[in-house]
Amino acid sequence: MSGTKQAAPAGSAPRPQQGGGDGPGRRLITYLEPGGLGGGLPTAGTTVLAVAVALVLSSLLVAATGGSPSDAVRALFEGSLGGSTAWSSTLLYTAPLLLVAVGACISTRAGVFNLGQEGQLLIGALAGAWVALRLAVPGPALLLIALVAAMVAGGAWAGLSSLMHRWRGVNIVVSTLLMTFLAQQLVAFAVTTPWLLQETRLGNATVSPQSNKLPEGALLGSLGQYPNLQINGGLLIALLAAVVIAVLIARSRWGFRLTMLGLNPRAARHAGVRVAAMAGAALALSGAFAGLAGAILLTSPVGTNRLQAGISTNIGWDGLLVALVARNRPLLAIPVALLFGVLRSGGGFLAATGVPAFLVDVVKSLLVLAFVIPPVAVAAVRRRKEARRASAQAAPARVPEEAAL
């Protein structure tokens, strides 16, 4: 792509000049970048204070609903880290959360704010289920093909938003978000349509809105043999993906260009970066990781190994929050994904303490705000100080002019 500006064809929308990013989204991305406008000691101190406030508010909410904060914390711990079975559940949730977060880190680094991971995850699960149930491939090859199909489908689904932005200037944030609802309808249609993926009717038995169970060859196994502890293969895939992407971003030419594109598309264009192609590829890669997360959900013991309309259980949204809290750093996303896995796994045990389960979502939201707001607030305060300093320096210069008159 040359840097020369070309006239748009008659009757077509003006071609976007940036890498697929949008104004407010790009500003938010800049604030959340490591070392960006909101970096430094003030941000760290403000973040610690915000997390403390979030924890205090969470305790007050638990107490306001008639529960005991100490009992709620104990239930969360027992349900997520209190034994080998609880650890297994936490690690099973951590794997798809981390994969979605890694994909979000890639697109956000490129300045493209992908809000459609939930839909891309569903499309990945749909493609993985179709391949696993339709292809007669024996052994682990079926699992590998299903995972690859899920990645391709998730990437293609995200790529549609990139094409709409490229051809007609459709806002990527809006299109990726709206396509999530389309993906939900597609999955619901697939699992309620007999000729597509609805489970096989046996005689006069009632069939449920779900697919048949995947064959054994398409299921992810556990690593090693540990009593009551499952370390699923999906976790290894997610950890490997996080490390590889972190190294590529930090050490490779592709990572340098990706970061430059996210920080300043115009400079990246002048440096020879094919802005539209790289931004579109970053969005598609983000969707591919979300699609892979859908296949992990489908093939691991965290679910029923059947495609269902509610298979995602908001993993896509939570994975995006993991990336936000981790400030778009894949390695930092590993412990953050584990924390969100703890909240998911232990959240079901809160009901025994009299605390509503939805309060876990409220706690997650407070923690996310505690990590996201400080860099934005610090950057705003810094800009205001710089504006006042510039105004104070400009004021004396006007005095001689007025005196001369």
Side-chain angles (χ1 to χ4, degrees), residues 4-321:
T4 306
K5 188 180 292 186
Q6 297 178 354
S12 64
R15 182 170 294 182
Q17 296 299 309
Q18 293 188 349
D22 304 278
R26 183 175 293 281
R27 284 196 293 274
L28 177 61
I29 289 169
T30 305
Y31 296 146
L32 297 179
E33 280 294 329
L37 295 177
L41 190 60
T43 299
T46 311
T47 302
V48 171
L49 179 62
V51 170
V53 171
L55 293 178
V56 171
L57 286 177
S58 302
S59 301
L60 292 176
L61 285 173
V62 171
T65 55
S68 167
S70 60
D71 290 344
V73 172
R74 191 178 302 111
L76 275 174
F77 178 80
E78 292 295 332
S80 57
L81 305 174
S84 55
T85 303
W87 266 102
S88 299
S89 175
T90 299
L91 295 179
L92 285 173
Y93 281 121
T94 300
L97 285 169
L98 181 56
L99 281 171
V100 174
V102 169
C105 290
I106 295 172
S107 61
T108 307
R109 284 273 182 168
V112 182
F113 205 58
N114 178 14
L115 270 185
Q117 284 92 349
E118 181 79 1
Q120 294 145 20
L121 183 149
L122 287 171
I123 293 298
L126 173 63
W130 190 89
V131 167
L133 292 171
R134 290 291 184 272
L135 295 186
V137 179
L142 182 60
L143 172 62
L144 180 61
I145 293 174
L147 295 180
V148 172
M151 288 191 71
V152 172
W157 192 256
L160 291 176
S161 293
S162 180
L163 291 178
M164 286 190 286
H165 177 75
R166 176 69 177 161
W167 290 340
R168 308 302 296 178
V170 178
N171 187 293
I172 283 182
V173 176
V174 174
S175 64
T176 51
L177 176 62
L178 293 182
M179 287 185 70
T180 296
F181 302 105
L182 179 58
Q184 291 172 344
Q185 296 303 316
L186 281 175
V187 173
F189 174 76
V191 296
T192 54
T193 306
W195 57 267
L196 195 50
L197 278 176
Q198 189 176 24
E199 69 174 336
T200 306
R201 182 184 296 275
L202 299 176
N204 294 325
T206 302
V207 293
S208 301
Q210 61 183 6
S211 71
N212 289 331
K213 189 172 182 178
L214 268 58
E216 288 294 327
L219 301 183
L220 274 167
S222 296
L223 303 175
Q225 299 291 332
Y226 308 99
N228 300 322
L229 179 63
Q230 291 189 38
I231 303 178
N232 194 258
L235 182 64
L236 178 63
I237 295 174
L239 291 175
L240 186 62
V243 173
V244 169
I245 294 300
V247 171
L248 287 176
I249 288 177
R251 301 293 181 185
S252 73
R253 184 180 180 184
W254 171 79
F256 175 74
R257 290 188 165 202
L258 192 75
T259 304
M260 182 167 57
L261 171 62
L263 294 176
N264 193 326
R266 185 170 298 176
R269 183 179 293 109
H270 284 295
V273 176
R274 298 177 63 189
V275 171
M278 177 159 276
L283 181 59
L285 195 55
S286 174
F289 276 105
L292 180 60
I296 296 295
L297 273 177
L298 182 69
T299 58
S300 66
V302 71
T304 60
N305 301 133
R306 298 172 183 265
L307 180 67
Q308 296 171 327
I311 188 172
S312 66
T313 61
N314 294 329
I315 288 285
W317 301 118
D318 283 357
L320 178 60
L321 297 181

Side-chain angles (χ1 to χ4, degrees), residues 94 98 102 238-239 242-243 322 326 329-339:
T94 300
L98 181 56
V102 169
L239 291 175
V243 173
V322 170
R329 282 175 280 194
L331 292 182
L332 187 55
I334 296 175
V336 177
L338 180 63
L339 171 63

